[in-house]
Every structure is written in structure tokens, then in C-alpha cells.
Amino acid sequence: MVKEQLEVLRALDIAKTQLYHFTAIVIAGMGFFTDAYDLFCISLVTKLLGRIYYTVEGAEKPGTLPPNVAAAVNGVALVGTLAGQLFFGWLGDRMGRKKVYGLTLLIMVLCSVASGLSLGSQPKAVMATLCFFRFWLGFGIGGDYPLSATIMSEYANKKTRGAFIAAVFAMQGTGILAGGIVAIIVSAIFDRQFPAPAYEVNAKASLPPQTDYIWRIIVIFGAVPAALTYYWRMKMPETARYTALVEKNAARAAADMSKVLNKEIKAETEMVERLTTEPSNSFGLFSKQFLKRHGLHLLGTTSTWFLLDIAFYSQNLFQKDIFTAIGWIPPSKTMSASQEVFKIARAQTLIALCSTVPGYWFTVAFIDIIGRWAIQMMGFFFMTVFMFAIAFPYNYWSKKENRIGFVIMYALTFFFANFGPNSTTFIVPAEIFPARLRSTCHGISAAAGKAGAIIGAFGFLYAAQNQDPKKTDHGYPAGIGVKNSLIMLGVINFIGMLFTFLVPEPNGRSLEELSGENDGDANEVVDKPQQENNRSMPV
């Protein structure tokens, strides 16, 4: 058990839910809203980009992005995100959460606008500048992951901490939903103002020059919510846990939280000095002590996030390809450019509205009741079940009369991803590591996830191609087909279940108790989360 705890941290742990909790959720959550919007809106416009810049005159079908270009456009932001998670995660533990928090938001605003203003009219120029700015956009987004999670965990009380962090992450679902809604509105307006026939009727007329503005407006809109929250991010005080346990400034931590909690808190300078010099609160990331206390925990958080994101990003970025394969979205040649954007956005919005968003908020509602471990295990289990239920009878689901059933099954995999590991993998790393390493370890865990996302984004693009070389998208080699790709994703989800056994249960315990920062007995503290985890496991 924890031997002693600073009054300022104890006050935060037992604080009743107040306005500042909701303010912090909104401020951090709007960052995640922007993150999700910016990352996933590209999937709504990749087919439009192919039409605009790669259509060959006289071709039977509209143009599509060449394999290398499609991989770059879809994956470059994820590469930037991975780099940003590592860099800003480390920087958040060195400079403080607040100082770095505003910088990530500025990068996101500037690069969202720059992405939409990608220079030139030639394909190479537009794609090169789009990829350049989306890399740096991803870099800023990457910083938001460890900082938002860490700030929310360090502000929250221990009773509802899971729900508060989950609420921040739930804004990802709202961002995905907003991306679809914006694309529907923009494409509908352009289709009404500049009506065009289907490609098979008149190829040239199906792509009015004004269509180029559609994707640019959709991409630029991501800057709006980020810009609106910059001022409030700068107004937030530094978290007391960073100020006291990392900067060792007891007076400022007490003063900041006295204002936030509206109560007088004593500055315990001597206790801060004593606690921060104890062996249990001074070892580094690459030490034997860290390996002994948190090595398996870090393996658990990185491996489960890695495996989850292979499946999750494959599904999100390539929904349009799966829906096209089963005929839910009509063939490109039967639509104009703006109509195709509209129908892709409508399909993805329906999935987000009916499964993605509810899944996030189910996690918010139940995470502090049934715990992180149980939700993660349940999520991986049902993702495996529904993915196999889609994949093995795939030929049955691809028949026209069975497509609604396919969409329902596919939606359920999203529901249990979000009422499951997609939420918990974000929450747990912000709770179980010491304050001086919390942002860094969350960044490492998140970066492992993005490595999985990159594999999913690049790999699924090629793997899902038809096994018949004559039926693949232009420029792609034959793949293993959508059915076998979905089977692979099901296997990956099952492996995620197994690695979940390495993840501890932080429910209802203070951050200092979980990390052992206030306890001199390293072995006692490191074993406790695992014991708690074992009690949460089904018999």
C-alpha cells in the first residue's frame, strides 16, 4: 500500500466531479476530435483524388491513385503520428504537459490548412505537397495522444478517472462522424451547384473543374475545432503531479490546485523533496528497476495497442473498398465524382453513427464499473468472433440480398473495438506508469499502435486485392482477397486477447499506488496490479 501521499494529490483523488473536470474533458477532447477528423477524412476523398489527377482519357473506369501514391497518402500521416507520439511523449516529461500541449495544436492547425492548399495542378506536385503536410499534421496529432491522456489522468479523481479519460478518447468517434457529415454536406452542395452525369455517360463532364475544391474544403475544415480550443489549452494550469513529482515545486502545485478545486491546500515542500529522492521515484526508463517493475506492463500496453490498430485502421481506412466489394457502394463509373464522395461518406457515417460512436460511450459508462481489463478482453473476443463470422461465409455476405446483414456484422466489429481495446489501450498507459515517465511510456505504447496502423494501412491495401490479376485495381498485384484478409484480421484480434493477460487493472486506485511512487517497497507495488488483474479475470 501507499505509505504517504501529498495533500494536493490526495485532494485530486477524492475530489467530487466538478466543472473543471468537464472543462478539461472538452479541451482535451476537442484535440482528439481534430485528430480523428484529420486522420480519417483522407479515406473519404482518396477515390476523388484518383479521379481528378489520374483519370486517363478514354478509359473504361475513372482513375484511381497508383499503389505507391495511395499507400503514401493513406499512410504518411500515420508515420508522422508515430514520430510525434515518441517525440512529444518524451518532451511532455521533460518540459511539462502544458508547454508542449499548445505546440501540438498549432502544428495541427497550420498543417490542416496547408494540406488543403497543396500546391500545383500536376499530380506529382499535389500529391507530394499533400503528403509532406500530412506527415507534419500527423506529427502534431501524435503529440496529442500522450499529452491528452496524461493530463486527463492527472487531473481526474480515482473513482471516475477511467470515464474521464474515456470521454476524451470518445471524441475520436465524434471526429470520425463529423468527417463523414462534412463530406456529405460539401459533396451535396457541389453536386447541386455543379450537376454532372455519371462517368459512363460522359467521362469528362462527370468531373467538373470545381470538384477539386471538394477534397480541399473537407481537409481544411479539420483546422477549425483545433483553432477554437487553443486559447483554453493555454489557460490550463500545469498538472499538480508533474509540478510536484517531476519539477519538485510543492508551492506552485498547491497554489494551482487550490484555484482549481476552490479549497486551501498546504504546500508540503519537505515531503516533496523526500518522496522525489527515494529510490522508488528516481529510476529511469532504461534501468533494471523499470524493467522489473513495469517491463511486462509496457510489453502489455505496446503489444495490445499494436495488434488492435492493425485491425482497427485497416477497417477504418478501407471501409469504402469493402463496401464497394460487396456492392453497397455502386461502381465508380455509374456515378459522378461528387456523387461518389457523397455515397462513400454516407456509408462511413452510418457505420460511425450506429456502431463506432456508441461503442466509445459504452466504455465511458461502464469502464469504472467493470474495469479496463474486462472491457479489453471482451472487446478483442467479440471482434474475433464477428470478424470470423464475416470472413468464413464471405461469399454468402457478398450476395445482394445479404448485404444488410454484412453491414450489421461489420458494424458490430467496430462497436466492440470501441467498447473494448481501442479505448482501453489509450487509457491504461496513462495510469500505470510513474509521473516522470508517464507521458513517455504512453507515447511508446501509442507509437506501437501506430506501427500496427501503418501495417494495416499499407498491408490491407495490397492484401485485399482480388486473387485474379485481371480483377485487381489498376497498378496493383494480385492479393489474397478480401475474405482471406478479414480472416487474418480475426487471427490478429485473437492474439490481442492473449496479450491482454499482461495488462494490469488500474480501476479505483490512485496513480501513485499504481506506479509505486510513494512506496519504498518495489516488489510489493509491482505485484499488486497483477494480483488485481488476476481477480478481474474470468474463472
Side-chain angles (χ1 to χ4, degrees):
M1 292 296 292
V2 176
K3 291 192 300 186
E4 54 185 345
Q5 188 179 29
L6 292 168
E7 183 183 337
V8 64
L9 305 187
R10 188 165 57 251
L12 284 167
D13 277 344
I14 64 174
K16 293 181 180 179
T17 301
Q18 300 175 35
L19 178 61
Y20 84 89
H21 286 121
F22 295 106
T23 302
I25 289 171
V26 171
I27 294 170
M30 287 309 293
F32 256 86
F33 176 97
T34 306
D35 296 348
Y37 183 98
D38 288 334
L39 281 178
F40 294 111
C41 72
I42 196 67
S43 66
L44 299 165
V45 298
T46 47
K47 288 203 171 186
L48 176 61
L49 291 170
R51 278 184 183 250
I52 295 172
Y53 298 109
Y54 291 94
T55 294
V56 177
E57 190 173 346
E60 182 184 349
K61 298 179 182 179
T64 58
L65 294 178
N68 60 326
V69 176
V73 168
N74 281 296
V76 71
L78 300 177
V79 176
T81 303
L82 187 155
Q85 286 164 337
L86 292 173
F87 177 72
F88 287 115
W90 169 80
L91 202 62
D93 284 333
R94 296 298 172 273
M95 293 179 58
R97 292 46 160 141
K98 178 185 175 180
K99 290 179 182 177
V100 183
Y101 211 26
L103 177 60
T104 62
L105 207 62
L106 280 178
I107 293 172
M108 289 157 58
V109 171
L110 293 174
C111 292
S112 289
V113 174
S115 296
L117 298 177
S118 295
L119 306 174
S121 57
Q122 296 302 310
K124 285 186 178 180
V126 175
M127 294 301 123
T129 51
L130 176 61
C131 288
F132 175 80
F133 288 118
R134 278 191 65 78
F135 172 85
W136 291 108
L137 172 65
F139 190 68
I141 289 171
D144 227 44
Y145 275 73
L147 293 168
S148 290
T150 300
I151 285 172
M152 198 65 243
S153 72
E154 293 181 345
Y155 263 110
N157 62 56
K158 64 182 181 180
K159 184 179 179 181
T160 56
R161 186 178 60 235
F164 289 160
I165 306 173
V168 170
F169 194 62
M171 294 301 288
Q172 186 180 77
T174 311
I176 294 171
L177 181 63
I181 293 172
V182 169
I184 287 172
I185 293 171
V186 172
S187 59
I189 290 172
F190 273 80
D191 189 48
R192 184 169 182 174
Q193 294 297 316
F194 310 102
Y199 181 89
E200 62 185 0
V201 175
N202 187 329
K204 188 173 183 179
S206 72
L207 188 67
Q210 297 85 356
T211 306
D212 188 55
Y213 292 111
I214 293 178
W215 73 268
R216 296 180 185 273
I217 292 171
I218 292 170
V219 169
I220 288 174
F221 186 83
V224 176
L228 292 175
T229 55
Y230 179 77
Y231 170 78
W232 296 108
R233 279 201 179 184
M234 294 298 93
K235 291 278 287 182
M236 290 179 73
E238 182 58 87
T239 69
R241 285 181 162 93
Y242 182 84
T243 305
L245 299 177
V246 183
E247 290 187 329
K248 305 179 185 179
N249 190 333
R252 186 156 67 86
D256 286 345
M257 292 306 104
S258 293
K259 293 178 183 177
V260 169
L261 297 172
N262 292 315
K263 63 180 290 186
E264 190 65 32
I265 298 175
K266 181 174 62 176
E268 299 168 293
T269 305
E270 290 183 9
M271 187 186 291
V272 166
E273 192 64 35
R274 185 173 69 254
L275 289 173
T276 54
T277 54
E278 285 186 356
S280 61
N281 198 26
S282 58
F283 58 81
L285 180 65
F286 299 105
S287 65
K288 289 182 180 179
Q289 293 95 325
F290 179 88
L291 184 63
K292 182 179 181 181
R293 294 167 67 97
H294 298 293
L296 286 178
H297 298 161
L298 188 59
L299 176 61
T301 59
T302 52
S303 59
T304 52
W305 207 335
F306 172 79
L307 294 163
L308 176 275
D309 271 8
I310 293 177
F312 185 73
Y313 277 81
S314 296
Q315 291 172 252
N316 259 300
L317 290 173
F318 301 106
Q319 284 184 62
K320 61 186 184 304
D321 301 305
I322 293 171
F323 289 149
T324 299
I326 65 163
W328 208 43
I329 296 175
S332 294
K333 65 180 182 179
T334 65
M335 300 177 282
S336 68
S338 56
Q339 289 169 348
E340 185 172 38
V341 173
F342 179 87
K343 291 186 178 180
I344 291 171
R346 185 179 62 182
Q348 294 194 194
T349 300
L350 183 62
I351 290 292
L353 190 62
C354 296
S355 63
T356 305
V357 173
Y360 285 111
W361 290 101
F362 263 69
T363 301
V364 174
F366 292 105
I367 192 163
D368 290 313
I369 299 172
I370 63 177
R372 289 73 159 147
W373 190 91
I375 288 178
Q376 182 161 312
M377 183 61 77
M378 175 193 68
F380 269 129
F381 173 78
F382 282 110
M383 287 173 70
T384 304
V385 168
F386 287 115
M387 194 63 74
F388 284 154
I390 290 171
F392 287 111
Y394 180 73
N395 294 332
Y396 169 83
W397 293 120
S398 62
K399 294 178 182 177
K400 188 173 183 179
E401 62 269 22
N402 301 323
R403 286 172 188 166
I404 297 300
F406 175 93
V407 172
I408 293 171
M409 299 283 280
Y410 191 65
L412 284 169
T413 64
F414 275 104
F415 176 82
F416 283 105
N418 296 309
F419 184 33
N422 191 43
S423 296
T424 55
T425 52
F426 174 80
I427 294 165
V428 174
E431 299 180 294
I432 62 176
F433 299 108
R436 66 190 179 282
L437 300 171
R438 185 168 291 132
S439 180
T440 300
C441 289
H442 193 285
I444 292 170
S445 302
K450 282 300 167 285
I454 292 165
I455 292 172
F458 285 80
F460 194 84
L461 192 65
Y462 286 86
Q465 294 297 319
N466 200 292
Q467 292 174 296
D468 184 350
K470 296 179 182 179
K471 296 181 180 180
T472 62
D473 291 338
H474 179 70
Y476 286 85
I480 61 174
V482 174
K483 175 179 178 176
N484 291 329
S485 297
L486 292 174
I487 291 173
M488 283 181 59
L489 295 182
V491 172
I492 288 168
N493 290 329
F494 177 76
I495 298 171
M497 284 177 58
L498 302 181
F499 276 96
T500 296
F501 284 96
L502 297 176
V503 179
E505 177 55 75
N507 197 21
R509 303 168 67 200
S510 75
L511 298 180
E512 288 68 49
E513 184 182 355
L514 288 163
S515 64
E517 286 167 285
N518 292 2
D519 197 306
D521 186 348
N523 293 324
E524 180 185 352
V525 178
V526 75
D527 290 339
K528 183 71 182 292
Q530 194 61 44
Q531 292 167 7
E532 195 74 17
N533 181 21
N534 292 338
R535 285 199 293 271
S536 301
M537 296 177 189
V539 178

